[in-house]
């Protein structure tokens, strides 16, 4: 006899799961029905009963685990298997046992009291944890949940000294201050006193803060000061009395450069209170105030003299590298409308655009010494001889004396390296008259030297390391008409067979030195690319324009128009001549009339070209600015503000390079070291001042990988060993990872 199958009848409003199970939720109660029978019920908040019910249904084969894995329950398969195993092994009562909670065995009442007392004495968290015999992380967690109350000596009030203010607390306080004097203006009394002339500039005061944005910039403070960021205060840079001092503005500009905050407008997107914590104030200046302060510093001071003084000190710190100087021009493109700048060809854009030309002087490692900006320029040679060489003659250290130069005709003062734009007889001869050697590429090389002359040499690379090159050297001359100058030509044979020719007037140098220094010129190209990408050397700090001296010679606009028309006429003549040549090649007798017309057109075009050339010859190529109409006179960007900004960016680049040199001991690649330094600068940090010990501890948050943590920890340890003291508070700076 066949067994009658069970026909389930599901309750109304139930959710069906599988073939036999349905779940009903009503009035805060959950009921499980197998067919039409109520299998189990519990309240919705009763989690243990839910686990038991589902495990029991699976164990008794009323439902399959895969049915519970899908909607609407969506319980993971592993979780269901764990519940079922618990039911089999430990029984139903195991689901209803109370959870076992361990008591606080480490942070006892006695331990808490002892920690509170030590912290109130100003001892650091790590030292307190060692004295008490507990982990530092355990103590920090207790401080975070307020289990450890820190009582300052002398009063009975609790102060969260070690924990410090959180970012949320500071953000809330800065926002509340906006209803009064302004966002983050929490030192209102000092600001009012400074505005009324009752007090001088504010003094830096660091507070205990946690998770300060861009706190890693404080790791760059020793390098900024070592490279002279504050050396010009008082002598070259001044500010009238006010809340912000010259030191505060320079620190703000230096931190902005390291933190890749490109222009003052970008400060609108940085919390002012957080940035202010880095300089020890309630907030940094707003954009308008910062611009006004920079203009005042540049106008009342002497940024150019400050740049020259810094350049001299940098050269004296590394006289070997200062003996080989790299000079190249960089065009700063201008897209504004206030200044009228001449057009010049920009090779990276392949266009003629308006802008200024900045001539940079660097060493072989790419570190800058100074820059000369020209709104109207006559080229590299003119700027070298008139602006750069006089400065170098007075600042380059370890130059030979006049007696030594007279005794040795091949001896030079120092060497300037530049590209083939300056490879002319006139420039090389003018430099050698001052006994300045030059290294450059040779132009228009047509002859080929035999491969047998080339010998493989080991060439030292500036900054460390060596490479191998196939080199050959010959003495030769560079002529211009009847004049000539003796030079040494060094050629490098590449793997493809190409010969790269280099000439130098410093004939006392060997071929390996000449090749190593010349082929290191790419350091300056890399410097331009890096500065444009990361330090925004093309950006403007202050908008506006200034007039140029009226005696300055510029290209005559009338001559330029005639020259353009003459070039166009010459192009038309050549086009017609080419058309006539094609007709002659075809030798078509029926086209005699066309040929005659073409010859007539050529004669007319040649006559027009002749007239244009005559007019161009009669027109002065260069005229003074005073002779031009007002609307045609070129102007320049505000030079002093730009010079001040460029100087700070040079200091920031040198500071970053100094930190990269320390990291290179632990990382193989320079690009990786620079990327890690940039990551360090934008990292958050905890600031822990200790007035009794006169220390300022900066705890940098960790990097992305253990390898980078080790490198940064070594860098911070090196900075701590320098025992650098904050330039305003005098507190000794201590750096560590959290």
């Amino acid at each position: 006899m066949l067994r009658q199958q069970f026909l389930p009848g599901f309750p109304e409003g139930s959710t069906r799961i599988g073939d036999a199970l349905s779940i009903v939720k009503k009035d805060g109660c959950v009921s499980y029905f197998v067919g039409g029978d109520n299998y189990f019920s519990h309240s919705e908040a009763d989690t243990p009963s839910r686990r038991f019910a589902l495990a029991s249904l699976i164990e008794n084969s009323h439902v399959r685990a895969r049915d519970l894995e899908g909607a609407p329950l969506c319980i993971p398969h592993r979780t269901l298997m764990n519940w079922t195993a618990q039911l089999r092994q430990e029984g139903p009562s195991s689901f209803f046992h109370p959870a076992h909670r361990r008591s606080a065995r480490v942070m006892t009442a006695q331990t808490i009291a002892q920690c509170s007392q030590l912290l109130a004495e100003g001892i650091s968290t790590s030292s307190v944890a060692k004295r008490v015999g507990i982990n530092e992380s355990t103590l920090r967690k207790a401080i975070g949940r307020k289990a450890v109350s820190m009582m300052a000596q002398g009063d009975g009030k609790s102060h969260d000294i070690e924990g410090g203010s959180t970012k949320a607390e500071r953000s809330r306080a800065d926002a509340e201050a906006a209803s009064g004097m302004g966002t983050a203006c929490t030192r209102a009394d000092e600001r009012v006193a400074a505005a009324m002339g009752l007090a001088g500039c504010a003094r830096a005061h660091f507070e205990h803060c946690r998770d300060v944005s861009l706190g890693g910039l404080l790791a760059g403070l020793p390098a900024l000061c070592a490279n002279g960021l504050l050396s010009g205060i008082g002598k070259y840079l001044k500010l009238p009395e006010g809340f912000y001092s010259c030191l505060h503005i320079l620190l703000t500009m230096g931190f902005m450069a390291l933190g890749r905050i490109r222009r003052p407008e970008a400060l609108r997107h940085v919390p002012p209170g957080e940035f202010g914590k880095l300089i020890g104030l309630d907030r940094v200046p707003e954009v308008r105030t910062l611009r006004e302060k920079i203009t005042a510093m540049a106008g009342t001071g002497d940024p150019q003299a400050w740049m020259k003084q810094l350049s001299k000190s940098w050269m004296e710190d590394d006289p070997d590298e200062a003996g080989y100087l790299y000079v190249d021009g960089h065009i700063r493109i201008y897209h504004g409308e206030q200044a009228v700048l001449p057009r010049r060809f920009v090779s990276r854009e392949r266009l003629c655009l308006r802008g200024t030309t900045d001539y940079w002087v660097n060493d072989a490692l790419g570190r800058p010494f100074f820059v000369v900006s020209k709104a109207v320029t006559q080229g590299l040679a003119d700027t070298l001889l008139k602006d750069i060489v006089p400065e170098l003659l007075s600042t380059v250290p370890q130059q030979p004396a006049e007696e030594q130069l007279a005794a040795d005709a091949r001896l030079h003062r120092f060497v300037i390296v530049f590209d083939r734009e300056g490879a002319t007889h006139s420039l090389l001869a003018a430099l050698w008259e001052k006994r300045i050697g030059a290294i450059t590429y040779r132009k228009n090389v047509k002859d080929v030297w035999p491969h047998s002359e080339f010998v493989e040499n080991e060439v030292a690379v500036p900054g460390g390391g060596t490479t191998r090159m196939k080199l050959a050297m010959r003495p030769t001359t560079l002529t211009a008409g009847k004049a000539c100058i003796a030079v040494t030509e060094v050629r490098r044979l590449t793997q493809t067979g190409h010969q790269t020719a280099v000439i130098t007037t410093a004939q006392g140098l060997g071929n390996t030195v000449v090749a190593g220094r010349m082929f290191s010129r790419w350091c300056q190209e890399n410097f331009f690319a890096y500065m444009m990408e990361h330090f925004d050397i093309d950006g403007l700090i202050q908008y506006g324009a200034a007039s140029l001296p009226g005696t300055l010679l510029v290209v005559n606009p009338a001559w330029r128009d005639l020259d353009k028309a003459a070039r166009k006429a010459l192009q038309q003549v050549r086009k017609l001549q080419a058309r006539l040549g094609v007709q002659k090649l075809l030798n078509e007798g029926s086209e005699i009339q066309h040929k005659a017309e073409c010859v007539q057109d050529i004669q007319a075009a040649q006559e027009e070209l002749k007239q244009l050339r005559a007019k161009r010859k009669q027109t002065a190529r260069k005229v003074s600015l005073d002779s031009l109409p007002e609307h045609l006179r070129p102007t320049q960007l505000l030079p002093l503000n730009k010079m001040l900004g460029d100087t700070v960016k040079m200091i920031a680049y040198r500071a970053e390079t100094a930190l990269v040199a320390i990291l290179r001991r632990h990382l193989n690649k320079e690009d990786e070291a620079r990327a890690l330094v940039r990551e360090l600068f934008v990292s958050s940090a905890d600031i822990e001042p200790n007035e009794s010990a006169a220390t300022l501890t900066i705890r940098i948050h960790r990097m992305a990988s253990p390898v980078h943590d080790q490198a940064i920890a070594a860098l911070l340890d090196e900075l701590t060993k320098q025992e650098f003291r904050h330039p305003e508070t005098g507190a000794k700076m201590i750096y560590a990872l959290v």
Side-chain angles (χ1 to χ4, degrees):
M1 183 175 180
L2 295 176
R3 182 177 178 182
Q4 183 178 4
Q5 293 184 352
F6 175 72
L7 298 176
F10 297 103
E12 183 179 358
S14 62
T15 301
R16 182 177 176 180
I17 299 177
D19 296 332
L21 178 63
S22 62
I23 301 177
V24 177
K25 294 183 180 181
K26 186 176 181 181
D27 298 332
C29 180
V30 181
S31 299
Y32 301 86
F33 287 86
V34 178
D37 298 332
N38 188 343
Y39 183 83
F40 192 82
S41 298
H42 63 81
S43 63
E44 291 187 14
D46 191 355
T47 303
S49 295
R50 176 174 178 267
R51 296 174 180 174
F52 164 72
L54 295 177
S56 176
L57 287 167
I58 295 174
E59 182 67 14
N60 294 323
S61 302
H62 294 306
V63 69
R64 295 174 297 183
R66 67 180 184 181
D67 296 331
L68 301 178
E69 294 174 18
L73 297 183
C74 300
I75 302 176
H77 179 79
R78 174 52 54 190
T79 301
L80 294 172
M81 294 299 100
N82 290 339
W83 293 348
T84 306
Q86 180 181 349
L87 178 63
R88 293 173 184 171
Q89 298 171 7
E90 302 179 21
S93 61
S94 62
F95 290 92
F96 304 99
H97 289 163
H100 177 68
R101 298 184 181 275
R102 295 191 304 172
S103 59
R105 299 177 182 176
V106 178
M107 297 304 296
T108 61
Q110 182 179 359
T111 304
I112 291 175
Q114 188 177 1
C115 291
S116 300
Q117 181 63 29
L118 294 174
L119 290 171
E121 295 175 1
I123 302 175
S124 64
T125 306
S126 58
S127 301
V128 171
K130 290 180 180 179
R131 290 191 185 185
V132 178
I134 61 176
N135 291 331
E136 183 179 353
S137 60
T138 303
L139 178 55
R140 288 188 177 276
K141 290 177 182 178
I143 294 173
R145 65 174 183 267
K146 307 297 183 180
V148 176
S149 63
M150 293 168 288
M151 305 296 293
Q153 293 181 350
D155 60 13
K157 299 180 181 179
S158 175
H159 299 280
D160 192 6
I161 297 178
E162 176 61 32
S165 61
T166 64
K167 183 178 293 187
E169 294 171 349
R170 296 192 300 272
S171 177
R172 183 166 52 251
D174 293 346
E176 292 174 353
S179 60
M181 183 169 289
T183 301
C185 292
T186 56
R187 296 168 64 170
D189 294 343
E190 297 180 54
R191 290 179 176 275
V192 172
M196 299 180 64
L198 302 177
C201 61
R203 297 289 299 175
H205 175 70
F206 290 92
E207 303 173 354
H208 291 263
C209 303
R210 290 185 293 174
D211 304 331
V212 179
S213 301
L214 301 176
L217 290 174
L218 288 170
L221 182 58
L224 287 174
C225 294
N227 283 277
L229 179 64
L230 309 178
S231 62
I233 296 178
K235 185 176 182 180
Y236 303 111
L237 302 174
K238 301 177 182 178
L239 269 182
E241 291 291 336
F243 183 80
Y244 295 106
S245 66
C246 192
L247 182 144
H248 299 149
I249 301 301
L250 288 175
L251 287 181
T252 300
M253 295 176 66
F255 286 155
M256 286 174 59
L258 293 181
R260 273 52 177 179
I261 302 174
R262 294 174 173 268
R263 304 184 188 186
E265 289 87 355
L267 284 177
R268 295 191 178 102
H269 306 288
V270 179
E274 291 293 284
F275 209 152
K277 298 297 183 292
L278 305 181
I279 58 178
L281 300 179
D282 53 353
R283 61 159 293 160
V284 290
E286 63 176 358
V287 176
R288 184 181 63 179
T289 302
L290 181 60
R291 286 189 181 280
E292 292 175 352
K293 297 294 184 181
I294 292 174
T295 302
M297 289 169 57
T300 60
D302 193 349
Q304 185 175 11
W306 183 40
M307 181 188 294
K308 292 181 179 179
Q309 183 266 334
L310 286 173
S311 174
K312 184 177 181 180
S313 64
W314 291 336
M315 290 183 181
E316 292 173 351
D317 291 341
D318 196 351
D320 294 334
E321 290 301 328
Y324 296 89
L325 300 166
Y326 293 75
V327 180
D328 198 6
H330 168 75
I331 297 178
R332 182 191 296 236
I333 302 174
Y334 178 70
H335 300 284
E337 298 179 355
Q338 297 188 31
V340 181
L341 300 177
R343 294 184 182 274
R344 58 209 69 200
F345 181 74
V346 184
S347 58
R348 62 180 183 273
E349 300 287 347
R350 299 183 181 274
L351 293 171
C352 284
L353 303 173
R354 297 190 182 275
T356 61
T357 303
D358 297 341
Y359 293 94
W360 289 81
V361 180
N362 300 62
D363 63 9
L365 303 180
R367 297 174 300 185
F369 287 116
F370 64 92
V371 59
V372 176
S373 296
K374 291 287 186 179
V376 178
T377 177
Q378 308 299 330
L380 174 65
D382 183 74
T383 305
L384 257 177
L385 297 176
K386 293 182 179 179
D387 299 284
I388 297 178
V389 167
E391 178 64 23
L392 295 178
L393 288 173
S394 62
T395 57
V396 174
Q398 298 184 0
Q399 297 184 39
E402 295 295 336
E403 296 79 8
Q404 294 175 300
L405 294 173
D408 188 354
R410 295 161 58 94
L411 187 63
H412 57 269
R413 297 179 182 273
F414 51 86
V415 177
I416 298 179
V417 186
F418 42 82
D419 61 9
R420 38 177 66 86
E421 179 187 351
T424 60
H425 173 273
S426 58
L427 176 58
L428 297 181
L431 290 175
W432 189 248
E433 286 182 4
K434 303 179 184 297
R435 302 299 293 273
I436 299 174
I439 302 178
T440 183
Y441 295 109
R442 185 163 193 172
K443 291 182 179 180
N444 303 322
V445 179
K446 298 180 180 179
D447 62 322
V448 178
W449 291 2
H451 288 192
S452 58
E453 293 189 25
F454 292 87
V455 179
E456 188 170 1
N457 295 269
E458 187 171 345
V459 179
V461 178
T466 58
T467 186
R468 303 195 68 82
M469 299 181 186
K470 289 185 177 180
L471 303 175
M473 182 171 64
R474 291 182 184 178
T476 183
T477 58
L478 191 66
T479 60
K482 296 182 180 181
C484 65
I485 181 174
V487 296
T488 299
E489 182 173 353
V490 178
R491 290 197 182 183
R492 176 190 179 187
L493 181 64
T494 64
Q495 294 181 354
T496 60
H498 175 71
Q499 297 181 9
T500 304
V502 179
I503 55 174
T504 177
T505 55
Q507 301 181 64
L509 300 178
N511 59 352
T512 57
V513 176
V514 174
R517 292 293 175 176
M518 186 70 247
F519 294 117
S520 295
R521 200 191 70 83
W522 280 103
C523 68
Q524 200 168 29
E525 301 292 343
N526 297 335
F527 167 77
F528 291 149
Y530 192 83
M531 291 294 286
M532 283 191 294
E533 180 181 359
H534 294 282
F535 289 90
D536 192 30
I537 57 172
D538 292 344
L540 298 177
I541 292 183
Q542 184 74 15
Y543 300 114
S547 60
L548 290 168
T551 57
L552 187 66
L553 295 178
V554 295
V555 178
N556 188 353
W559 183 91
R560 184 187 289 112
D561 294 339
L562 289 172
D563 182 66
K564 184 177 179 180
R567 291 174 183 271
K568 188 175 180 180
L570 178 61
Q571 184 179 5
Q572 181 65 19
V573 170
R574 291 175 177 175
K575 183 178 179 180
L576 293 173
Q577 289 174 343
R579 184 185 302 173
L580 179 61
V582 171
Q583 293 179 358
K584 288 182 178 181
L585 289 175
L586 294 176
N587 196 18
E588 298 177 359
S590 59
E591 299 295 334
I592 297 178
Q593 181 66 27
H594 288 246
K595 293 180 182 179
E597 293 177 356
C598 187
V599 170
Q600 185 177 2
D601 293 340
I602 291 175
Q603 293 175 349
Q606 289 177 339
E607 181 64 25
E608 181 183 2
L609 176 61
K610 182 179 179 181
Q611 293 177 3
L612 289 172
R613 285 177 172 176
K615 291 181 180 179
R616 184 179 63 179
K617 187 176 182 180
Q618 296 173 0
T619 304
R621 185 175 183 272
K622 291 187 177 181
V623 295
S624 62
L625 282 181
D626 290 340
S627 62
L628 293 178
E630 187 70 26
H631 67 281
L632 294 179
R633 295 181 185 177
T635 58
Q636 64 176 338
L637 301 173
L638 297 177
L640 297 180
N641 295 54
K642 176 184 176 300
M643 193 174 300
L644 177 59
D646 287 343
T647 304
V648 173
K649 290 175 182 178
M650 283 193 291
I651 294 172
Y653 179 83
R654 283 181 159 269
E656 181 180 298
T657 304
L659 298 181
V660 169
I662 299 176
L663 280 181
R664 284 297 304 276
R665 306 170 192 168
H666 310 278
L667 299 174
N668 295 329
K669 299 180 180 179
E670 182 178 357
D671 291 343
E672 184 181 1
R674 283 202 178 272
L676 185 55
V677 169
R678 294 196 299 268
E679 184 181 352
L680 168 65
F681 290 150
V682 298
S683 298
S684 299
D686 300 339
I687 300 177
E688 300 177 3
N690 189 332
E691 296 182 2
S692 59
T695 60
L696 180 61
T697 303
I698 310 299
R699 300 191 183 277
I700 309 294
H701 289 198
R702 294 185 175 269
M703 303 295 109
S705 67
V707 175
H708 290 173
D709 283 344
Q710 295 175 5
I712 291 297
L715 170 63
L716 298 180
D717 184 60
E718 182 76 18
L719 295 177
T720 302
K721 289 180 180 179
Q722 294 178 6
E723 296 187 352
F724 172 79
R725 293 190 175 274
H726 192 273
E728 188 172 9
T729 64
K732 185 171 70 173
M733 305 284 287
I734 301 174
Y735 298 93
L737 287 176
V738 293

